[in-house]
Amino acid sequence: MVPSDAASSPTTFIDVLFGWALSFIQMLSHLLNGYFTAFFVFTGIILNLLSVSIFLRKERAGTPAIQYYLVTLTLWQTALLANAFLLYSFPNLWWGHLVSQGTYVYLYPYVYTFANTTHTGSVWIVLTLTIDRYLALCQPLKHRAIGKKRRVRRLMIVVSMMAVIFSIPRFFEVHVVLSCEVPPDTNCVAIIDRTELFDNRLYWTIYHVILAMIFVTLLPCLILFALTLRISIALRSAIAKRKSLCAPNSDIDTRCKSIKSSRYNSSRKDHKSNIMLVLVIAKFLVSDILPTVIDVLEHLVGQSAFMMSPLASLFVDISNFLIVLNCSSNFWVFFVWGKRFRRSCRKCIKSTQIGACIYDMAQWNTDSEVSLCAPSSFTTANVTTKAYGSTERSFRHKRNMELIVSRTDETSLNPSRT
C-alpha cells in the first residue's frame, strides 16, 4: 500500500498543477480577448478617427505627402480594430468564449477575410512608409523625384487594392454549414467549418507558407528591421552633424540663434517628425514580431499539433492583443512628438462645446497669466508678422512702435521737456 500511495501522490499533484495552469491560461485568454481588447478597440477607434480628422484638416491647408501614408495607415488600423472586436472581443464578452456555432457564425467568413485584409494592408503601408523615410534620409535625390503628393496618393490606392486582392482567397477557406440531428433532421445549428480549399496541401504550401512569409510575415519583418536600423543610424549621424555645426559655445550659439534660427528650427522640426515616424514603424515592428514567430512555428510543428497546445493558443491571443495595442496607440505617438498635431488637436477639441468645457475644466487651476483668454505666442506673433514668415517691413514697424512707446514714456516721466 505504501508504494502505491507514494506513486499516486505525485501524479495527483501534477494533475492539479496542470489543471490550475490550464484554468489560468483560459482566464488570461478571456481577459485579453474580452475586456482588454474591447477597451483598446473603442479608445483606439475614437483616437484614430480624431487623428484622421486632424490630418485631413492639415491636408487642406497644404501639408507634406507623408500624411497620405499616415491617413491610409490609420484607416487600415481602425478597420483592423473593428474586426478584432467582432472576431474575438464580442464573443468573449457575450458568451464567455469564442463561439463556433449559432447565428453569429454567419459573420465569420467576412470578418475572417477582412481581418486578414486589414493586417496585410497595414503591413504593406508601413513597409512603403519605411521605404519612403529611407529614401528621404539616405537618398534624397531619388525621394525628391518619387515623393510627390500625386504619386503617393496613387501608391496608397494601389497598395490598398493589392492587399484586398491578395486576401480574397481567405474568404473561400471557411464556410457555414448546418448541422442537424440525424434521425429527425430537426434542430439544425449553423456551425463554422473549413472548406476543401483550406485542407488542400498544395494551396496551403503555396499561399499560407510561401506567399504569406514572403509578402506578409517573415520577409517584410526583416526588411522593416533592416531599414529601421539604417534610418536610426542616419538620424544619429544627422544629430552629430548638427551638433558639430553648432558647437556648445556662447558666440556660436548666439550666431545660430540670430542668423540661422529659422533654418535651425525647420531642421529640428523635420528631425522630430522623422523620429515620430520611426517610432511608429518600430512600434509596428515590435508588435508584428511575435505573430511572425508564431506563424513560422505553426508551419514547422504542424497546424493540428499547434492548435492542440493551450500554451500556443495563449501566445496567439497575446500576439493578437499586441496588434490591437499597436493599432490603438499611434495617436499618442503623434501627440507627444508632433507639436503641430498637438495644436491642431487642441483646436479640434475646443471647436466643440463639450470639448471646450472639458478643456476649460482642465485649465481651471492654471495661472491666470497663462489663461485661455490671453493671447498666445502664436496669435501675438501674427499681429506683427505674416502667417508664414516675417518680413523686413514688419520688423521695422515693430521697431518704430517700440521707439514711439519709449518716447511717450520719457515724456510722461519728464514733463519739463515739453
Side-chain angles (χ1 to χ4, degrees):
M1 293 297 293
V2 176
S4 61
D5 292 335
S8 61
S9 57
T11 305
T12 305
F13 176 75
I14 292 175
D15 291 339
V16 171
L17 185 61
F18 180 77
W20 178 85
L22 187 61
S23 62
F24 176 77
I25 290 174
Q26 292 176 354
M27 181 190 68
L28 187 59
S29 298
H30 177 68
L31 290 177
L32 289 176
N33 291 326
Y35 297 100
F36 291 165
T37 299
F39 173 77
F40 285 104
V41 160
F42 282 107
T43 57
I45 289 176
I46 294 172
L47 295 178
N48 286 347
L49 293 179
L50 179 61
S51 301
V52 170
S53 175
I54 292 172
F55 285 139
L56 291 179
R57 288 187 179 186
K58 292 168 66 177
E59 194 274 334
R60 288 196 297 267
T63 54
I66 196 68
Q67 291 189 3
Y68 289 110
Y69 292 101
L70 298 179
V71 169
T72 310
L73 176 62
T74 306
L75 291 177
W76 275 117
Q77 290 182 343
T78 304
L80 193 149
L81 290 175
N83 281 275
F85 178 77
L86 294 176
L87 197 60
Y88 299 107
S89 182
F90 180 76
N92 275 275
L93 293 176
W94 190 261
W95 291 285
H97 55 85
L98 296 177
V99 295
S100 59
Q101 61 182 8
T103 308
Y104 190 76
V105 299
Y106 283 102
L107 291 176
Y108 275 6
Y110 305 95
V111 176
Y112 169 74
T113 305
F114 203 57
N116 287 278
T117 305
T118 53
H119 181 254
T120 304
S122 301
V123 171
W124 289 358
I125 296 299
V126 171
L127 187 60
T128 53
L129 174 61
T130 308
I131 296 173
D132 180 90
R133 287 299 89 196
Y134 169 75
L135 294 176
L137 292 172
C138 302
Q139 299 181 8
L141 295 178
K142 290 184 179 180
H143 181 265
R144 201 173 288 177
I146 66 175
K148 297 180 180 180
K149 289 184 179 181
R150 185 178 300 176
R151 293 182 178 179
V152 173
R153 192 188 304 123
R154 292 176 181 176
L155 179 62
M156 293 296 96
I157 295 174
V158 170
V159 170
S160 300
M161 292 179 62
M162 289 177 61
V164 174
I165 295 173
F166 184 82
S167 303
I168 286 178
R170 298 276 187 174
F171 182 78
F172 302 98
E173 293 180 358
V174 293
H175 64 156
V176 179
V177 295
L178 293 177
S179 177
C180 304
E181 295 182 0
V182 177
D185 281 341
T186 57
N187 297 327
C188 296
V189 179
I191 61 174
I192 190 73
D193 194 10
R194 301 173 181 174
T195 61
E196 296 179 356
L197 180 64
F198 190 87
D199 295 328
N200 192 325
R201 189 67 180 176
L202 180 62
Y203 168 78
W204 176 267
T205 304
I206 295 176
Y207 185 77
H208 280 268
V209 178
I210 299 176
L211 295 181
M213 295 182 70
I214 291 176
F215 293 105
V216 182
T217 56
L218 186 59
L219 186 60
C221 190
L222 295 176
I223 295 175
L224 284 174
F225 178 78
L227 292 181
T228 305
L229 184 62
R230 183 66 181 88
I231 292 171
S232 303
I233 294 173
L235 287 176
R236 293 191 63 179
S237 63
I239 294 174
K241 185 176 181 180
R242 188 169 65 246
K243 287 182 178 180
S244 64
L245 292 175
C246 284
N249 194 338
S250 59
D251 297 335
I252 299 178
D253 289 341
T254 306
R255 200 178 306 159
C256 288
K257 290 180 181 178
S258 60
I259 299 176
K260 300 181 180 179
S261 59
S262 60
R263 186 180 301 175
Y264 179 77
N265 290 331
S266 63
S267 63
R268 188 177 181 183
K269 289 179 181 178
D270 293 338
H271 177 68
K272 283 189 175 181
S273 63
N274 287 325
I275 291 178
M276 179 187 71
L277 296 174
V278 169
L279 288 177
V280 172
I281 297 169
K283 184 167 61 66
F284 181 87
L285 182 61
V286 171
S287 66
D288 207 57
I289 286 177
L290 185 59
T292 302
V293 173
I294 290 176
D295 189 69
V296 173
L297 289 177
E298 182 179 0
H299 295 326
L300 293 177
V301 176
Q303 186 182 8
S304 58
F306 186 84
M307 295 299 295
M308 291 297 293
S309 174
L311 192 59
S313 301
L314 179 62
F315 285 155
V316 171
D317 296 333
I318 293 175
S319 66
N320 293 332
F321 178 72
L322 288 177
I323 294 175
V324 170
L325 188 63
N326 167 64
C327 295
S328 61
S329 58
N330 282 338
F331 173 84
W332 302 110
V333 179
F334 302 149
F335 189 82
V336 172
W337 287 92
K339 185 177 181 180
R340 187 185 300 177
F341 184 87
R342 287 197 301 269
R343 188 187 301 130
S344 301
C345 183
R346 183 168 60 248
K347 289 181 181 180
C348 184
I349 293 176
K350 290 173 63 178
S351 62
T352 60
Q353 186 176 2
I354 298 177
C357 294
I358 295 175
Y359 191 84
D360 291 337
M361 292 175 62
Q363 298 293 326
W364 185 265
N365 293 326
T366 57
D367 194 0
S368 60
E369 295 181 357
V370 196
S371 63
L372 294 175
C373 299
S376 62
S377 60
F378 181 76
T379 55
T380 306
N382 286 337
V383 175
T384 57
T385 60
K386 291 184 178 180
Y388 294 100
S390 303
T391 61
E392 185 180 357
R393 184 181 300 173
S394 62
F395 283 112
R396 190 181 302 166
H397 175 72
K398 183 178 179 181
R399 180 61 179 168
N400 292 334
M401 292 297 295
E402 292 178 354
L403 291 175
I404 292 172
V405 173
S406 63
R407 289 174 182 174
T408 306
D409 294 338
E410 291 178 358
T411 304
S412 61
L413 293 174
N414 299 319
S416 61
R417 293 186 180 180
T418 59

